[in-house]
Amino acid sequence: MARGGVYDNCGGFHRYSVDERWIVPHFEKMCYDNSELLKNYVHAYQVTQNSFFAGVARDMIRWMDEWLSDRTHAASTLRRMPIIRWTMTAITSPGLSKKRKRH
């Protein structure tokens, strides 16, 4: 799932996709969806010691801390992500794939 369209470079998983190939994510990210997936990625790392799983888990924790925690009261359960429209030039640009490397 972390290599697909429902996971983005901000960290965390979108709730679902709006296309049949699961490439275009829906704009909502839910705390409870991500918390369940976080447990799975941490467990996958514990079992396999594969650093990819640890990297995904770290990104998810960072995203939850930055976007769902307000540091004064409680955590939010939902974050509506801004809709970003890409041009075909931006998508096929060689620099885009170098912006963020995954483990």
Side-chain angles (χ1 to χ4, degrees), residues 3-60:
R3 290 187 175 109
V6 294
Y7 186 72
D8 68 23
N9 65 351
C10 295
F13 288 85
H14 290 271
R15 190 153 197 217
Y16 55 89
S17 176
V18 296
D19 69 316
E20 67 277 356
R21 293 177 42 213
W22 283 79
I23 295 171
V24 180
H26 189 264
F27 61 92
E28 289 180 336
K29 290 183 177 181
M30 306 299 286
C31 181
Y32 50 84
D33 292 339
N34 280 277
S35 66
E36 292 300 315
L37 287 166
L38 176 60
K39 290 190 283 187
N40 291 325
Y41 276 91
V42 168
H43 184 69
Y45 173 71
Q46 290 171 333
V47 170
T48 67
Q49 297 297 300
N50 184 324
S51 63
F52 174 77
F53 296 127
V56 172
R58 279 190 214 99
D59 282 349
M60 293 175 72

